Amino acid sequence: MSPPEWNDPHVRQAVKPWTAPRCWANISVMKNEPLSIPKSVRFVGLSERALRALADGDLAGGSAEAGVALDEHFVGERARWIFGYRADQLAKDPSAAPWITRAAVSEPDGVVVGDAGFHGPPDEAGMVEVGYTVVPGYRRQGYARAMLRALLVRAAAEPGVRTVRARIGSDNTASLASIEGFGFTRVGEQGNERDGLTIVFEVPADAIQGGAPQRGCESLPGAAPQVRPRGPIETEAARRLADALKNE
């Protein structure tokens, strides 16, 4: 997935609008997916103390705080930097705790298969942005879609959420495939082909809820949806986070 802090008012990036038809899909229907038993996950919160422990490379301490056995992937160099960033985020705004990074646990076996969450609470426009990572040993098994499905259900249940956003690198074919069939529309792009192009997708919260048209596409009346304009990235921390997440 894309850098999570691009929806922070202090971290901004120009977005070029993209015009395309909107594809609607109920989250229970996977586009072009063969019949199989879908994966299921539950989320376990990561407190500031758990995030600090992981940022320090203390897997045992982080697991103890979380109450689940976390994978070594949680103390990789990239993960440690991101979890430190998230710990700082919680220290500044404890109310963000229900929204940000959580451990994703496979059901019914209880194995931690990744982490997932939103980059923060809904912004002033009611937008939240999803982010998720699957532990390498569990990739390409349907867990990314299970995490995304659970995140969308969570977002749709919140009255203050109007839009769910996802940002994915144009060369990240796995993540691009994982969002198919969930009703996302390509609404813009960031960056360029030389430095790395990120595609911006959005889905209205009311399209996630039951009763939305399934499969198929329909053209939207009027103008195509627009992404709110943003300026250049303003902080070195955000640049580092963008680099860390560029190929996720």
PDB file of all heavy atoms in Angstrom, residues 212-227:
ATOM      1  N   ALA A 212     -25.685  -2.317  -2.259  1.00  0.00           N
ATOM      2  CA  ALA A 212     -25.033  -1.674  -3.380  1.00  0.00           C
ATOM      3  C   ALA A 212     -25.020  -2.621  -4.569  1.00  0.00           C
ATOM      4  O   ALA A 212     -24.967  -3.833  -4.411  1.00  0.00           O
ATOM      5  CB  ALA A 212     -23.599  -1.285  -3.002  1.00  0.00           C
ATOM      6  N   PRO A 213     -25.058  -2.090  -5.814  1.00  0.00           N
ATOM      7  CA  PRO A 213     -24.977  -2.954  -6.991  1.00  0.00           C
ATOM      8  C   PRO A 213     -23.737  -3.817  -6.941  1.00  0.00           C
ATOM      9  O   PRO A 213     -22.697  -3.384  -6.468  1.00  0.00           O
ATOM     10  CB  PRO A 213     -24.919  -1.944  -8.146  1.00  0.00           C
ATOM     11  CG  PRO A 213     -25.564  -0.712  -7.598  1.00  0.00           C
ATOM     12  CD  PRO A 213     -25.199  -0.685  -6.144  1.00  0.00           C
ATOM     13  N   GLN A 214     -23.811  -5.039  -7.415  1.00  0.00           N
ATOM     14  CA  GLN A 214     -22.704  -5.977  -7.380  1.00  0.00           C
ATOM     15  C   GLN A 214     -22.148  -6.211  -8.777  1.00  0.00           C
ATOM     16  O   GLN A 214     -22.875  -6.233  -9.758  1.00  0.00           O
ATOM     17  CB  GLN A 214     -23.158  -7.313  -6.789  1.00  0.00           C
ATOM     18  CG  GLN A 214     -23.686  -7.160  -5.357  1.00  0.00           C
ATOM     19  CD  GLN A 214     -24.166  -8.472  -4.809  1.00  0.00           C
ATOM     20  OE1 GLN A 214     -23.969  -9.504  -5.421  1.00  0.00           O
ATOM     21  NE2 GLN A 214     -24.791  -8.427  -3.652  1.00  0.00           N
ATOM     22  N   ARG A 215     -20.831  -6.415  -8.797  1.00  0.00           N
ATOM     23  CA  ARG A 215     -20.113  -6.622 -10.047  1.00  0.00           C
ATOM     24  C   ARG A 215     -20.465  -5.498 -11.026  1.00  0.00           C
ATOM     25  O   ARG A 215     -21.019  -4.476 -10.654  1.00  0.00           O
ATOM     26  CB  ARG A 215     -20.408  -8.011 -10.623  1.00  0.00           C
ATOM     27  CG  ARG A 215     -20.027  -9.132  -9.655  1.00  0.00           C
ATOM     28  CD  ARG A 215     -20.318 -10.494 -10.256  1.00  0.00           C
ATOM     29  NE  ARG A 215     -20.016 -11.542  -9.320  1.00  0.00           N
ATOM     30  CZ  ARG A 215     -18.921 -12.283  -9.343  1.00  0.00           C
ATOM     31  NH1 ARG A 215     -18.017 -12.080 -10.272  1.00  0.00           N
ATOM     32  NH2 ARG A 215     -18.711 -13.212  -8.451  1.00  0.00           N
ATOM     33  N   GLY A 216     -20.107  -5.679 -12.303  1.00  0.00           N
ATOM     34  CA  GLY A 216     -20.493  -4.703 -13.305  1.00  0.00           C
ATOM     35  C   GLY A 216     -20.033  -3.294 -12.982  1.00  0.00           C
ATOM     36  O   GLY A 216     -19.609  -2.985 -11.893  1.00  0.00           O
ATOM     37  N   CYS A 217     -20.157  -2.393 -13.955  1.00  0.00           N
ATOM     38  CA  CYS A 217     -19.788  -1.002 -13.773  1.00  0.00           C
ATOM     39  C   CYS A 217     -20.898  -0.125 -14.310  1.00  0.00           C
ATOM     40  O   CYS A 217     -21.632  -0.507 -15.201  1.00  0.00           O
ATOM     41  CB  CYS A 217     -18.489  -0.664 -14.529  1.00  0.00           C
ATOM     42  SG  CYS A 217     -17.060  -1.589 -13.959  1.00  0.00           S
ATOM     43  N   GLU A 218     -20.988   1.086 -13.768  1.00  0.00           N
ATOM     44  CA  GLU A 218     -21.937   2.044 -14.292  1.00  0.00           C
ATOM     45  C   GLU A 218     -21.276   3.396 -14.303  1.00  0.00           C
ATOM     46  O   GLU A 218     -20.490   3.726 -13.424  1.00  0.00           O
ATOM     47  CB  GLU A 218     -23.203   2.078 -13.443  1.00  0.00           C
ATOM     48  CG  GLU A 218     -22.969   2.514 -12.010  1.00  0.00           C
ATOM     49  CD  GLU A 218     -24.220   2.422 -11.167  1.00  0.00           C
ATOM     50  OE1 GLU A 218     -25.009   1.490 -11.393  1.00  0.00           O
ATOM     51  OE2 GLU A 218     -24.402   3.277 -10.292  1.00  0.00           O
ATOM     52  N   SER A 219     -21.586   4.211 -15.306  1.00  0.00           N
ATOM     53  CA  SER A 219     -21.002   5.530 -15.392  1.00  0.00           C
ATOM     54  C   SER A 219     -21.667   6.459 -14.393  1.00  0.00           C
ATOM     55  O   SER A 219     -22.874   6.408 -14.194  1.00  0.00           O
ATOM     56  CB  SER A 219     -21.173   6.083 -16.810  1.00  0.00           C
ATOM     57  OG  SER A 219     -20.487   5.282 -17.731  1.00  0.00           O
ATOM     58  N   LEU A 220     -20.876   7.287 -13.757  1.00  0.00           N
ATOM     59  CA  LEU A 220     -21.423   8.239 -12.802  1.00  0.00           C
ATOM     60  C   LEU A 220     -22.011   9.421 -13.542  1.00  0.00           C
ATOM     61  O   LEU A 220     -21.435   9.915 -14.510  1.00  0.00           O
ATOM     62  CB  LEU A 220     -20.312   8.752 -11.881  1.00  0.00           C
ATOM     63  CG  LEU A 220     -19.828   7.803 -10.807  1.00  0.00           C
ATOM     64  CD1 LEU A 220     -18.686   8.472 -10.070  1.00  0.00           C
ATOM     65  CD2 LEU A 220     -20.942   7.475  -9.845  1.00  0.00           C
ATOM     66  N   PRO A 221     -23.167   9.934 -13.106  1.00  0.00           N
ATOM     67  CA  PRO A 221     -23.685  11.155 -13.695  1.00  0.00           C
ATOM     68  C   PRO A 221     -22.815  12.332 -13.301  1.00  0.00           C
ATOM     69  O   PRO A 221     -22.277  12.384 -12.194  1.00  0.00           O
ATOM     70  CB  PRO A 221     -25.088  11.276 -13.077  1.00  0.00           C
ATOM     71  CG  PRO A 221     -24.984  10.542 -11.790  1.00  0.00           C
ATOM     72  CD  PRO A 221     -24.023   9.411 -12.040  1.00  0.00           C
ATOM     73  N   GLY A 222     -22.683  13.298 -14.181  1.00  0.00           N
ATOM     74  CA  GLY A 222     -21.926  14.500 -13.857  1.00  0.00           C
ATOM     75  C   GLY A 222     -20.432  14.273 -13.867  1.00  0.00           C
ATOM     76  O   GLY A 222     -19.916  13.343 -14.464  1.00  0.00           O
ATOM     77  N   ALA A 223     -19.732  15.137 -13.151  1.00  0.00           N
ATOM     78  CA  ALA A 223     -18.271  15.107 -13.171  1.00  0.00           C
ATOM     79  C   ALA A 223     -17.730  13.905 -12.420  1.00  0.00           C
ATOM     80  O   ALA A 223     -18.352  13.383 -11.509  1.00  0.00           O
ATOM     81  CB  ALA A 223     -17.728  16.393 -12.539  1.00  0.00           C
ATOM     82  N   ALA A 224     -16.538  13.500 -12.817  1.00  0.00           N
ATOM     83  CA  ALA A 224     -15.866  12.399 -12.123  1.00  0.00           C
ATOM     84  C   ALA A 224     -15.444  12.877 -10.740  1.00  0.00           C
ATOM     85  O   ALA A 224     -15.228  14.059 -10.509  1.00  0.00           O
ATOM     86  CB  ALA A 224     -14.636  11.967 -12.919  1.00  0.00           C
ATOM     87  N   PRO A 225     -15.349  11.961  -9.761  1.00  0.00           N
ATOM     88  CA  PRO A 225     -14.937  12.368  -8.417  1.00  0.00           C
ATOM     89  C   PRO A 225     -13.539  12.954  -8.441  1.00  0.00           C
ATOM     90  O   PRO A 225     -12.693  12.546  -9.223  1.00  0.00           O
ATOM     91  CB  PRO A 225     -14.991  11.060  -7.620  1.00  0.00           C
ATOM     92  CG  PRO A 225     -14.902   9.982  -8.642  1.00  0.00           C
ATOM     93  CD  PRO A 225     -15.569  10.520  -9.861  1.00  0.00           C
ATOM     94  N   GLN A 226     -13.301  13.885  -7.565  1.00  0.00           N
ATOM     95  CA  GLN A 226     -12.003  14.558  -7.507  1.00  0.00           C
ATOM     96  C   GLN A 226     -11.319  14.272  -6.179  1.00  0.00           C
ATOM     97  O   GLN A 226     -11.972  14.073  -5.155  1.00  0.00           O
ATOM     98  CB  GLN A 226     -12.186  16.087  -7.650  1.00  0.00           C
ATOM     99  CG  GLN A 226     -12.867  16.493  -8.928  1.00  0.00           C
ATOM    100  CD  GLN A 226     -12.004  16.228 -10.134  1.00  0.00           C
ATOM    101  OE1 GLN A 226     -10.819  16.580 -10.136  1.00  0.00           O
ATOM    102  NE2 GLN A 226     -12.560  15.632 -11.155  1.00  0.00           N
ATOM    103  N   VAL A 227     -10.010  14.264  -6.204  1.00  0.00           N
ATOM    104  CA  VAL A 227      -9.218  14.146  -4.977  1.00  0.00           C
ATOM    105  C   VAL A 227      -8.836  15.555  -4.543  1.00  0.00           C
ATOM    106  O   VAL A 227      -8.454  16.377  -5.364  1.00  0.00           O
ATOM    107  CB  VAL A 227      -7.939  13.322  -5.225  1.00  0.00           C
ATOM    108  CG1 VAL A 227      -7.101  13.261  -3.973  1.00  0.00           C
ATOM    109  CG2 VAL A 227      -8.316  11.942  -5.700  1.00  0.00           C
TER     110      VAL A 227
END
